[in-house]
Amino acid sequence: MEHPRMYDDGDPLLAHVRDVAARFPESVEVEAWGRPTFRAGKKIFAVYGSSGTDEPALILKPDPEERPALEQDERFFSPPYFGPAGWLALRLDPAVDWDEVRELLDSSYRQVALVRMLRALDA
């Protein structure tokens, strides 16, 4: 069953996420479940949007050591489907700190990327 598209290609927040995600080695964007997913090869490291809410959000896999602190931050929530597997969603707004988004995406990417991708990232 094909999912309806749940995002707007003209969304400026999505444009920023795309720009940041595209900088990771072998990063690709694939639409899945009606949303843009960002992958290190075949493994997802981020999803734009969150089921159960209309507000813009970025789902990512936080560093396990950083997760407890992020859970205390009201900008983060446990997204449906992904949350039980340890993922968190960051609410996005025009004032979001893009340096923080880069760091969070970097951490998420590093957890799923292959060794060769990590070597390229660190080179």
Side-chain angles (χ1 to χ4, degrees):
M1 176 173 122
E2 190 171 319
H3 292 270
R5 182 171 272 189
M6 306 288 288
Y7 64 97
D8 175 6
D9 266 326
D11 180 343
L13 294 171
L14 175 56
H16 275 105
V17 170
R18 283 177 166 152
D19 181 55
V20 174
R23 297 171 190 231
F24 293 99
E26 299 183 48
S27 173
V28 294
E29 180 180 337
V30 176
E31 186 175 309
W33 313 291
R35 303 198 179 279
T37 65
F38 301 92
R39 301 170 186 232
K42 294 183 181 183
K43 294 188 177 185
I44 296 172
F45 69 93
V47 179
Y48 185 79
S50 172
S51 299
T53 178
D54 290 334
E55 63 189 329
L58 182 63
I59 301 170
L60 41 81
K61 192 170 190 173
D63 182 303
E65 293 179 10
E66 294 176 8
R67 183 182 169 85
L70 296 175
E71 289 176 317
Q72 300 303 311
D73 187 324
E74 64 187 22
R75 299 171 303 150
F76 291 86
F77 63 95
S78 179
Y81 308 108
F82 289 86
W87 296 65
L88 288 177
L90 168 64
R91 290 178 179 88
L92 297 176
D93 63 42
V96 70
D97 179 348
W98 289 104
D99 288 333
E100 179 182 36
V101 171
R102 280 183 197 87
E103 290 174 14
L104 291 165
L105 285 173
D106 181 84
S107 177
S108 191
Y109 177 88
R110 288 177 182 279
Q111 291 181 66
V112 301
L114 299 173
V115 171
R116 75 167 183 267
M117 296 173 187
L118 296 175
R119 283 189 194 126
L121 180 63
D122 292 334

